[in-house]
């Protein structure tokens, strides 16, 4: 009897309340927690009930009253949503609302602008987006330091190379324009750019067919902050720092916007006194040294970089459907370089020798990119045409003085003709690039769109390099060190992409890109041309609003940079020079990935097969002499399989952590050594940051990265990493003050070993430890940023068309 009474009682309880429920999401279909769900009585505007959404965005309201009501959903920084009126006339009333979508809103309260903050890392089907202005360490940093702290990105300043998720061959773009200048100059330019002017960094590990196919590891696109204001708005940034040398960065941005047009401009001057060096110990059998020789070699380089960066852009809305824009990026850098090389040589059949070599260089680099676009949009069609012109000039003369000593420290004159008392080098490079790009997008219906486009690139490169040897009071040209090469290049591309949604939960994209590449040299034996098709496929299955599985496939190419192909010569020691390799082949890669996303968590399985990968700074023989030539070479292949994860953790409402990691297996085959061996190894890299909100106006950030032991060609590189920290104070007027420390433990040391896998040229066996400036001293910075002007927001439409041309120089 008690059981029957209990059942009847529970039934009465269950039917004594009406129930209203619903799901609240944002425009990206992601749940919104902690939103207010309020039941209003439409008769007297009285609030009858209230609740908040849970972590999954769901809410439930239980009511036992009758009447006419509405539901209002509200949350700060979102537009309030209100339902249509409905009636409750019975106790067993049950209403399930359709999914409620809240859109973001900028709200101004007593002069204070409140906007929704974006996550530091957002994911797309093509990769990840890093919203760098959400990081405490951004203010006062350089763009290069932003990249060093980005998930999966490794900046190798010793070898002037970027890698992404453990793979080299990365395309660097700024505002969608590829930086077609030598990678060393890309690094120098990014090291002179103020991070305060950067809106976001896109890490495109699975680019679709609409992107240029260069860069086997993917694309790193750096987007500058665009003008999105009405009236005048600007920002002043001042930063000073000290490591081994003094650092200073001053930037000013000034923007103007109206309903039909916008003008943006920025100027940054940076002064950076940097210091780095390496220490190599090993043996060689270079014939010019008379057989087996033990060498202890130290290099120290001080460089004072003075960099001017200027950016101006203008766009105008010709009509409701048509807009026009133009922009100019200009960069001027004048580095002063002092290098001290000290070598200790223990010969097998000759006396001990100490060589001291000092190099003084005075560089002058100019680079500018002028762009213009015209875009027309209708309800179902978008057409865009863009033109770019890129000019790059670099002069880097240098003078070298040499001294030689015996074991007791007395000055001597070695008899071997490889030694000289001095030399001078001349390197001059000029590159001109023109780009034309047309894109068209057509919406067939709500489930299908098609995109297509074409692109043409013409470039001309002239490189003149020579070294003259001092004999007495005169300098005499040395035939071993003379190179002049001219290269003309044509690249044509045509692509098409089809997007189709089979349902709300199943979406596909199929893309095809054809590229034709033609290179002509003044030496016709080096000419090459070919055409290839590069497909891309994306399939996305959404299991719910927060869970999805994505499959991606693409084929990509890494063309040799112009500096890789140019036969330039840079004096390194009496028996070695740095050079390019005109016989380099492009590398072709097939990439496959499977990615599972659950809320903000992301896990991926990736596989790639790369043919003819390019390994830089390998020791090779010069067929015309007994010099060791340090140059880029092709491997036969490299195969990778990786597991990748992105794990954001919210410990409390004031402590957030973001962890990223890649773990995988590598296998490659060498071609430039006597034995064409294969080798495989395990590799992982890790990137993480945590932000701690100290109070409403102050926050602390700790970030770090680590990459495990890996290989660059035949050179083995030991694992290394860095830990950084910073603290930021925000003020009521919108300004902020930041103090940061880079490389807290002075751990940016790259230890590489040559000759561990197989016999190298001249039987070289060396251990080389390179240290960046922070490896010698922590780098301290203090930065202040002050915004001024109007805060009203408008839309912006600055565009450009050069998507490949700037990273290959």
């Amino acid at each position: 009897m008690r059981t029957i009474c209990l059942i009847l009682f529970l039934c009465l309880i269950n039917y004594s309340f009406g129930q209203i429920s619903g799901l609240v999401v944002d425009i990206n279909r992601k749940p919104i927690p902690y939103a207010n769900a309020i039941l209003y009585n439409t008769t007297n505007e009285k609030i009858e009930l209230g609740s908040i959404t849970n972590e999954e965005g769901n809410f439930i309201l239980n009511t036992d009253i009758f009447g006419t009501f509405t539901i209002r959903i509200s949350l700060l920084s979102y537009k309030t949503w209100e339902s249509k009126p409905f009636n409750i006339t019975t106790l067993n009333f049950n209403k399930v609302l359709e999914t409620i979508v809240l859109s973001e809103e900028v709200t101004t309260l007593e002069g204070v602008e409140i906007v929704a903050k974006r996550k530091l890392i957002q994911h797309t089907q093509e990769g990840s987006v890093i919203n760098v202005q959400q990081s405490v360490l951004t203010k006062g940093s350089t763009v290069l330091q932003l990249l060093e702290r980005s998930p999966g990105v490794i900046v190798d300043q010793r070898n002037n190379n970027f890698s992404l998720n453990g793979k080299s061959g990365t395309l660097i773009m700024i505002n969608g324009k590829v930086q077609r200048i030598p990678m060393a100059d890309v690094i120098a330019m990014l090291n002179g750019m103020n991070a305060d002017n950067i809106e976001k960094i896109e890490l495109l590990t699975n680019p679709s067919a609409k992107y240029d196919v260069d860069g086997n590891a993917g694309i790193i696109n750096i987007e500058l902050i665009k003008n999105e204001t009405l009236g005048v708005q600007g920002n002043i940034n001042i930063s000073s720092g000290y490591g081994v040398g003094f650092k200073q960065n001053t930037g000013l941005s000034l923007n103007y916007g109206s309903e039909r047009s916008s003008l943006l401009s920025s100027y940054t001057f940076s002064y950076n006194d940097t210091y780095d060096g390496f220490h190599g110990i090993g043996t060689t059998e270079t014939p010019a040294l008379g057989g087996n020789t033990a060498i202890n070699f130290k290099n120290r380089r001080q460089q004072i970089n003075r960099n001017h960066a200027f950016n101006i852009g203008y766009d105008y809305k010709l009509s409701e459907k048509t807009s026009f824009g133009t922009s100019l990026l200009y960069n001027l850098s004048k580095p002063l370089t002092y290098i001290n090389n000290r070598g200790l040589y223990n010969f097998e059949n000759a006396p001990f020798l100490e060589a001291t070599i000092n190099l003084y260089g005075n560089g002058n680099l100019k680079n500018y990119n002028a762009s213009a676009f015209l875009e027309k949009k209708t309800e179902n069609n978008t057409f865009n045409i863009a033109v770019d012109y890129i000019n790059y000039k670099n002069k880097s003369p240098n003078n070298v003085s040499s001294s030689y000593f015996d074991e007791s420290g007395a000055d001597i004159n070695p008899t071997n003709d490889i030694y000289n008392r001095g030399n001078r080098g001349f390197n001059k490079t000029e590159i001109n690039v023109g780009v034309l790009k047309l894109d068209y997008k057509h919406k067939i219906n709500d489930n299908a769109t098609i995109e297509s486009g074409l692109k043409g690139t013409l470039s001309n490169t002239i490189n003149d390099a020579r070294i003259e040897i001092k004999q007495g009071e005169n300098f005499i040209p040395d035939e071993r060190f003379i190179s002049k090469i001219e290269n003309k290049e044509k690249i044509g591309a045509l692509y098409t992409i089809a997007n189709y949604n089979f349902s709300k939960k199943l979406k596909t994209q199929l893309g095809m890109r054809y590229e034709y590449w033609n290179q002509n040299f003044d030496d016709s034996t080096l000419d090459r041309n070919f055409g290839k098709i590069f497909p891309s496929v994306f399939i996305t299955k959404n299991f719910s609003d927060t869970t999805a599985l994505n499959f991606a496939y693409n084929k990509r190419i890494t063309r040799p940079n112009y500096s890789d192909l140019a036969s330039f010569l840079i004096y390194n020691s009496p028996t070695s020079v740095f050079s390019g390799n005109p016989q380099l082949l492009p590398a072709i890669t097939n990439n496959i990935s499977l990615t599972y996303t659950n809320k903000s968590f992301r896990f991926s399985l990736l596989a790639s097969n790369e043919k003819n990968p390019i390994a830089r700074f390998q020791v090779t023989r010069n067929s015309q002499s007994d010099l060791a030539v340090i140059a880029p070479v092709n491997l036969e292949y490299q195969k990778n399989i990786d597991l990748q994860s992105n794990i954001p953790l919210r410990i409390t409402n004031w402590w957030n952590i973001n962890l990223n990691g890649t773990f995988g297996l590598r296998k490659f085959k060498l071609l430039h050594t006597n034995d064409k061996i294969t080798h495989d190894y395990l590799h992982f890299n890790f990137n993480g940051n945590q932000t701690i909100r100290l109070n409403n106006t102050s926050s602390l950030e700790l970030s770090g990265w680590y990459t495990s032991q890996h290989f660059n060609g035949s050179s083995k590189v030991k694992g290394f990493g860095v830990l950084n920290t910073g603290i930021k104070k925000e003020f009521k007027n919108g300004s902020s003050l930041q103090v940061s420390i880079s490389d807290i433990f002075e751990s940016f040391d790259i230890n590489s070993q040559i000759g561990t896998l197989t016999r190298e040229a001249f039987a070289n066996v060396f251990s080389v430890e390179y240290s960046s400036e922070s490896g010698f001293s922590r780098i301290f910075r203090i930065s202040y940023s002050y915004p001024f002007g109007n805060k009203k927001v408008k839309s912006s439409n600055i565009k450009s068309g050069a998507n490949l041309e700037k990273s290959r120089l």
Side-chain angles (χ1 to χ4, degrees):
M1 186 66 182
R2 289 182 179 178
T3 302
I4 295 174
C5 290
L6 180 61
I7 294 173
L8 291 173
F9 176 75
L10 292 176
C11 290
L12 290 172
I13 291 293
N14 185 56
Y15 285 92
S16 62
F17 291 99
Q19 190 176 87
I20 306 164
S21 60
L23 171 65
V24 182
V25 299
D26 62 18
I27 58 175
N28 297 315
R29 311 298 293 183
K30 293 185 178 181
I32 299 179
Y34 314 120
N36 297 309
I38 307 297
L39 181 68
Y40 279 86
N41 191 315
T42 59
T43 303
N44 53 20
E45 282 295 311
K46 178 183 176 182
I47 298 177
E48 300 290 355
L49 292 170
S51 179
I52 62 172
T53 57
N54 61 17
E55 291 286 346
E56 286 73 37
N58 294 304
F59 70 90
I60 296 176
L61 293 170
N62 294 315
T63 179
D64 59 354
I65 55 178
F66 303 131
T68 302
F69 305 92
T70 61
I71 296 289
R72 292 181 189 174
I73 308 295
S74 63
L75 183 63
L76 190 63
S77 79
Y78 288 92
K79 292 181 179 179
T80 298
W81 177 93
E82 184 170 354
S83 71
K84 294 181 179 180
F86 56 90
N87 296 316
I88 300 179
T89 58
T90 62
L91 285 176
N92 61 351
F93 175 82
N94 186 23
K95 183 177 182 63
V96 179
L97 299 171
E98 293 185 2
T99 300
I100 300 165
V101 179
L102 297 187
S103 57
E104 293 184 5
E105 179 182 55
V106 176
T107 305
T108 303
L109 298 177
E110 296 181 359
V112 180
E113 186 182 66
I114 302 174
V115 297
K117 285 191 174 181
R118 291 178 293 180
K119 294 180 180 179
L120 177 64
I121 299 177
Q122 294 176 307
H123 300 295
T124 67
Q125 76 174 4
E126 294 179 318
S128 302
V129 178
I130 316 300
N131 296 306
V132 297
Q133 295 303 324
Q134 305 303 319
S135 171
V136 173
L137 296 176
T138 294
K139 295 294 182 184
S141 295
T142 67
V143 177
L144 193 67
Q145 291 166 340
L146 290 185
L147 290 176
E148 287 178 337
R149 297 194 291 265
S150 298
V153 178
I154 300 296
V155 182
D156 184 352
Q157 296 190 53
R158 174 174 176 253
N159 295 323
N160 296 318
N161 188 32
F162 289 90
S163 66
L164 187 58
N165 295 331
K167 296 194 297 183
S168 59
T170 305
L171 193 65
I172 305 296
M173 302 194 305
I174 296 178
N175 284 347
K177 294 185 284 290
V178 177
Q179 302 304 295
R180 295 195 65 155
I181 61 177
M183 193 57 70
D185 295 325
V186 171
I187 290 176
M189 181 175 66
L190 297 178
N191 204 30
M193 292 179 64
N194 193 337
D196 295 347
N197 296 325
I198 306 303
E199 178 182 356
K200 62 184 178 181
I201 295 175
E202 295 176 325
L203 306 178
L204 306 177
T205 52
N206 293 307
S208 66
K210 69 180 178 181
Y211 291 98
D212 296 90
V213 295
D214 214 355
N216 286 332
I219 297 173
I220 298 175
N221 183 36
I222 302 162
E223 289 285 342
L224 301 178
I225 293 176
K226 299 178 177 65
N227 183 18
E228 297 182 350
T229 62
L230 291 170
V232 177
Q233 185 270 336
N235 199 76
I236 297 174
N237 304 286
I238 301 174
S239 174
S240 293
Y242 198 87
V244 176
F246 176 72
K247 290 121 187 15
Q248 186 272 332
N249 196 313
T250 302
L252 170 66
S253 65
L254 189 62
N255 304 323
Y256 172 77
S258 67
E259 293 296 337
R260 295 181 66 89
S261 65
S262 64
L263 176 69
L264 64 89
S265 63
S266 66
Y267 168 75
T268 301
F269 171 76
S270 62
Y271 177 95
N272 192 3
D273 187 355
T274 65
Y275 185 84
D276 63 356
F278 64 87
H279 183 195
I281 300 176
T283 60
T284 182
E285 295 179 2
T286 304
L289 295 177
N292 193 301
T293 304
I295 300 176
N296 187 331
F297 193 86
K298 284 188 177 181
N299 165 282
R300 293 293 180 265
R301 181 182 69 160
Q302 180 185 14
Q303 188 171 69
I304 298 176
N305 295 298
R306 296 160 296 167
N307 193 85
H308 301 264
F310 179 73
N311 175 34
I312 185 169
Y314 175 77
D315 71 340
Y316 183 76
K317 198 170 184 180
L318 300 172
S319 67
E320 288 299 319
K321 298 179 180 180
T322 306
S323 58
F324 165 81
T326 183
S327 65
L328 175 67
L329 295 171
Y330 178 77
N331 189 76
L332 171 64
S333 181
K334 293 185 175 182
L336 295 174
T337 304
Y338 169 71
I339 297 176
N340 173 258
N341 292 330
R342 182 172 181 262
L344 307 178
Y345 299 84
N346 280 306
F347 303 102
E348 186 176 25
N349 300 312
F352 169 88
L353 174 69
E354 176 184 341
T356 300
I357 303 170
N358 295 316
L359 181 147
Y360 301 87
N362 187 0
N364 189 308
L365 182 153
K366 297 178 181 179
N367 176 46
Y368 69 84
N369 179 195
S371 305
F373 80 91
L374 178 68
E375 182 179 76
K376 184 172 183 178
K377 283 186 177 182
T378 62
E379 184 177 354
N380 295 320
N381 301 292
T382 302
F383 174 76
N384 180 279
I385 180 172
V387 293
D388 285 77
Y389 174 71
I390 301 165
N391 177 265
Y392 166 82
K393 292 181 181 179
N394 183 19
K395 295 180 181 179
S396 53
N398 58 75
N399 288 278
V400 178
S401 61
S402 304
S403 303
Y404 305 96
F405 308 93
D406 62 16
E407 197 164 5
S408 64
D411 194 305
I412 61 173
N413 286 310
T415 57
N416 195 318
D417 62 4
I418 67 171
Y419 303 107
N420 59 76
R421 285 289 176 177
N423 63 71
R424 63 185 183 185
F426 301 89
N427 285 286
K428 181 180 178 181
T429 303
E430 181 170 359
I431 303 170
N432 291 280
V433 183
V435 182
L436 174 65
K437 189 170 184 287
L438 296 93
D439 297 283
Y440 175 74
K441 183 176 181 179
H442 174 66
K443 179 181 177 181
I444 301 172
N445 53 44
D446 290 339
N447 294 317
T449 60
I450 188 167
E451 301 176 54
S452 61
L454 58 87
K455 178 179 177 182
T457 302
L458 298 176
S459 67
N460 184 62
T461 302
I462 300 175
N463 179 261
D464 187 1
R466 68 184 188 276
I467 295 176
E468 298 177 348
I469 304 300
K470 188 175 184 179
Q471 293 185 0
E473 297 300 321
N474 300 316
F475 287 92
I476 308 299
D478 189 326
E479 295 297 328
R480 301 175 302 171
F481 305 116
I482 296 178
S483 172
K484 185 172 183 179
I485 190 169
E486 183 172 358
N487 166 42
K488 294 182 179 180
E489 183 179 67
K490 301 175 183 177
I491 301 176
L494 176 68
Y495 80 88
T496 184
I497 296 174
N499 297 278
Y500 186 75
N501 301 334
F502 288 95
S503 66
K504 291 183 178 180
K505 294 188 175 182
L506 182 61
K507 302 178 181 181
T508 62
Q509 182 190 98
L510 301 178
M512 195 72 68
R513 187 181 184 95
Y514 174 80
E515 289 206 1
Y516 176 78
W517 184 39
N518 176 275
Q519 276 190 322
N520 293 306
F521 294 81
D522 47 5
D523 179 0
S524 60
T525 61
L526 301 176
D527 292 353
R528 67 193 74 185
N529 64 83
F530 67 84
K532 285 189 178 295
I533 294 176
F534 298 89
S536 66
V537 178
F538 295 91
I539 302 174
T540 301
K541 171 66 175 178
N542 294 304
F543 300 103
S544 68
D545 291 335
T546 60
T547 306
L549 187 66
N550 181 73
F551 169 84
Y553 164 77
N554 61 34
K555 185 177 183 179
R556 300 190 62 78
I557 184 173
T558 294
R559 297 182 180 92
N561 296 333
Y562 293 143
S563 55
D564 289 336
L565 295 169
S567 299
F568 67 89
L569 298 165
I570 298 177
Y571 188 86
N572 183 55
S573 75
T575 60
S576 65
V577 293
F578 292 99
S579 179
N581 179 4
Q583 300 183 28
L584 274 180
L585 298 173
I588 305 291
T589 303
N590 288 281
N591 300 293
I592 296 176
S593 68
L594 189 65
T595 301
Y596 174 75
T597 304
N598 188 342
K599 297 181 181 178
S600 296
F601 296 87
R602 185 182 177 97
F603 304 92
S604 300
L605 177 65
L606 309 99
S608 66
N609 185 5
E610 186 174 5
K611 183 181 179 182
N612 301 323
I614 298 172
R616 294 174 174 84
F617 299 96
Q618 304 299 299
V619 180
T620 64
R621 283 182 178 271
N622 188 322
S623 60
Q624 300 176 350
S625 68
D626 290 330
L627 289 173
V629 179
I630 304 170
V633 301
N634 287 114
L635 309 185
E636 183 170 327
Y637 66 79
Q638 176 165 306
K639 300 177 181 179
N640 302 337
I641 184 166
D642 296 292
L643 290 171
Q644 188 181 74
S645 64
N646 173 236
I647 304 174
L649 301 173
R650 185 178 183 181
I651 307 302
T652 69
N653 60 355
W654 50 266
W655 185 7
N656 292 283
I657 298 176
N658 199 290
L659 305 175
N660 305 274
T662 301
F663 178 83
L665 176 67
R666 309 274 191 272
K667 185 176 182 180
F668 62 88
K669 183 175 181 179
L670 299 175
L671 291 176
H672 69 284
T673 54
N674 290 337
D675 296 326
K676 311 300 189 286
I677 68 167
T678 61
H679 185 71
D680 58 74
Y681 64 98
L682 294 175
H683 173 262
F684 68 90
N685 61 60
F686 169 84
N687 172 285
N689 73 285
Q690 52 183 312
T691 302
I692 300 174
R693 177 67 63 175
L694 303 177
N695 54 45
N696 290 335
T697 60
S698 302
S699 54
L700 172 72
E701 182 172 320
L702 188 69
S703 74
W705 56 268
Y706 180 83
T707 184
S708 69
Q709 177 179 289
H710 56 280
F711 284 82
N712 173 39
S714 59
S715 301
K716 181 168 71 174
V717 183
K718 293 185 177 180
F720 60 98
V722 167
L723 189 66
N724 312 293
T725 190
I727 188 169
K728 180 172 70 172
K729 170 69 175 178
E730 297 172 325
F731 302 97
K732 291 183 179 180
N733 61 2
S735 64
S736 64
L737 182 68
Q738 176 184 302
V739 178
S740 65
I741 305 174
S742 298
D743 200 354
I744 297 173
F745 298 112
E746 300 177 358
S747 57
F748 202 155
D749 299 316
I750 305 174
N751 193 311
S752 57
Q753 295 176 316
I754 302 170
T756 59
L757 283 181
T758 184
R759 180 184 172 90
E760 300 276 352
F762 305 108
N764 281 357
V765 178
F766 279 91
S767 177
V768 181
E769 182 176 1
Y770 167 82
S771 295
S772 66
E773 181 180 10
S774 66
F776 294 97
S777 172
R778 301 174 187 87
I779 299 175
F780 298 85
R781 284 187 177 85
I782 182 169
S783 308
Y784 178 75
S785 176
Y786 174 72
F788 59 90
N790 200 349
K791 299 291 193 301
K792 293 179 68 177
V793 175
K794 69 178 291 290
S795 61
S796 180
N797 198 28
I798 301 293
K799 302 183 184 300
S800 177
N803 285 331
L804 169 66
E805 285 57 43
K806 286 190 175 180
S807 74
R808 292 187 47 234
L809 295 189

